[in-house]
Amino acid sequence: MIGISAAVVLLGAGAAGFAWMNRAPADPTPKNVAQPIERVLTPAQQLIVDADDPLACAASFSGDGIVEEPMLQWQNALYQALPIPAQDGLVFAGWYPTAESAAAADPASRVNGADPVVCTDQQIELFGAWKTPEENLAEGTKVPILMYHQFTANPDGEKGWLRGNYAYIGDFEAQMAHIATTGFYLPTWDELSAFIDGRLFLPARSVIITDDDADQTWFDLAAPVVEKHQLLATSFMITAYRQDPPPSIYVLRRSHTHDMHQAGDNGKGRMVNWTAEQIAEDLNLSGDALGVREVIAYPFGHYNDTAKQGVALAGFEMARTIEPGYVGIGTDKLALPVVRIDYGMGLDALISRIG
């Protein structure tokens, strides 16, 4: 029995060894392993990846002679700081959503900082247009800057010496509806500056809406009308008195100085009593509080050469007066005129002033 068992074991071992010896030799050639393909992102796609936010939108720019890099925008806001390209012998005529609308320079479809950002798959391409300097001059654009102050819900107006400052909200509603529905273009302040320089074409029917003082009636009565009609407006705030956040994405906060909206030694505003350095110090406080240096509104409309020096010293490019008139090519940026709107001025009065 022992001999038979040993023979069986030996036979089994021999079978196993035979199988091992007859195995196919290992393939010395390494098999190809699929390597991941590295995808090169476009600059616009890279902006979106880096932002890591579903509201991010990469705006790209196209057009003759345009080499602007893509920039990040946000889909819950208005367009911010869109570039204004320059090209020798030409005037930039704005951004448009299609090449066709750019070729036509169609003001109804022109895109700027008065428009909410709308993207597809977090990207949008904007197309630039150009005009000749002769075409720019021939347009004859004169931009009215509307100046409002306080507002009232009383059709009969308010009483007291400031009665004229209180626009009836029913009139304001009719005026804003007119602007919203009759083809007006609403330039941003950087666009107005470029227009004054002759670098940017603005349509003849352009208008800027402003409010002085950021009175509570502006927040309670007027800002909802601006929001309803989706009209870009600027509120000039006295930052020593209030620094409320914007009541709407359509409301820009700009400086009405920090604490110069009061009389100086000679009974006129501090703006024409202080030195340029004192004025700049005040405006720096206001600029820091609002987070922007661009344009101010002179308190009481008082200004002189020293005031203009202080404005420039603080890094502001423009200043708005209360002097009547319209902004054109070559207007003094530190003495912008206005179209004042007072109580009793209804829609017809507005149309007679701005068309």
Side-chain angles (χ1 to χ4, degrees):
M1 294 296 291
I2 295 175
I4 296 172
S5 298
V8 172
V9 171
L10 180 60
L11 179 61
F18 178 80
W20 179 83
M21 288 187 294
N22 284 278
R23 282 193 316 172
D27 187 353
T29 304
K31 298 188 180 298
N32 292 328
V33 178
Q35 298 294 325
I37 299 174
E38 183 177 351
R39 183 186 177 197
V40 179
L41 300 178
T42 67
Q45 291 168 336
Q46 190 64 57
L47 282 177
I48 297 168
V49 170
D50 293 343
D52 191 24
D53 188 320
L55 292 176
C57 175
S60 300
F61 307 100
S62 298
D64 292 341
I66 292 174
V67 293
E68 303 293 333
E69 292 294 321
M71 65 185 301
L72 205 60
Q73 300 288 335
W74 301 95
Q75 296 180 73
N76 60 345
L78 306 183
Y79 283 98
Q80 298 293 314
L82 289 176
I84 301 175
Q87 194 171 166
D88 289 343
L90 292 173
V91 177
F92 187 61
W95 297 109
Y96 302 83
T98 66
E100 293 75 19
S101 57
D106 176 19
S109 61
R110 185 167 167 173
V111 174
N112 75 335
D115 299 302
V117 177
V118 179
C119 289
T120 301
D121 296 329
Q122 294 189 264
Q123 293 193 59
I124 187 169
E125 185 176 13
L126 298 176
F127 299 83
W130 301 94
K131 297 276 189 181
T132 66
E134 292 75 21
E135 289 175 310
N136 191 36
L137 289 172
E139 185 76 0
T141 302
K142 298 293 184 183
V143 182
I145 301 177
L146 303 183
M147 180 181 67
Y148 294 88
H149 283 84
Q150 290 81 31
F151 299 85
T152 178
N154 183 358
D156 296 327
E158 300 296 317
K159 300 185 183 302
W161 69 279
L162 282 178
R163 173 182 171 82
N165 274 8
Y166 281 83
Y168 171 51
I169 196 61
D171 290 333
F172 184 70
E173 164 69 40
Q175 292 164 355
M176 295 302 102
H178 173 72
I179 291 172
T181 59
T182 57
F184 277 92
Y185 181 75
L186 285 85
T188 55
W189 292 105
D190 61 330
E191 287 184 309
L192 186 71
S193 175
F195 165 72
I196 292 171
D197 292 338
R199 297 185 292 112
L200 180 73
F201 171 86
L202 289 181
R205 289 174 67 79
S206 295
V207 66
I208 292 177
I209 304 162
T210 73
D211 165 76
D212 278 15
D213 305 336
D215 182 83
Q216 190 61 43
T217 59
W218 160 256
F219 287 91
D220 295 343
L221 298 175
V225 175
V226 167
E227 171 77 19
K228 171 186 172 183
H229 292 290
Q230 299 183 345
L231 295 172
L232 185 70
T234 296
S235 177
F236 287 110
M237 303 187 77
I238 309 165
T239 52
Y241 301 166
R242 67 190 312 163
Q243 299 177 20
D244 306 59
S248 164
I249 64 171
Y250 292 96
V251 174
L252 304 176
R253 301 185 309 163
R254 295 298 184 264
S255 176
H256 204 17
T257 76
H258 180 65
D259 197 21
M260 288 192 284
H261 203 290
Q262 50 185 302
D265 293 339
N266 63 359
K268 292 187 176 182
R270 286 181 171 180
M271 200 91 195
V272 291
N273 278 270
W274 287 3
T275 66
E277 290 73 21
Q278 289 174 313
I279 291 168
E281 183 179 356
D282 175 279
L283 290 177
N284 280 326
L285 292 173
S286 184
D288 290 345
L290 298 174
V292 61
R293 282 168 170 75
E294 189 176 51
V295 61
I296 76 152
Y298 292 117
F300 314 116
H302 296 167
Y303 73 100
N304 55 20
D305 287 343
T306 301
K308 292 164 76 171
Q309 292 170 11
V311 171
L313 190 62
F316 290 79
E317 186 181 15
M318 293 175 288
R320 204 219 62 201
T321 70
I322 62 170
E323 295 171 357
Y326 301 82
V327 178
I329 298 172
T331 293
D332 184 349
K333 291 185 183 180
L334 294 176
L336 301 177
V338 300
V339 173
R340 183 184 178 110
I341 306 296
D342 290 326
Y343 173 74
M345 295 174 62
L347 179 57
D348 289 343
L350 180 79
I351 292 174
S352 71
R353 287 161 174 80
I354 71 171

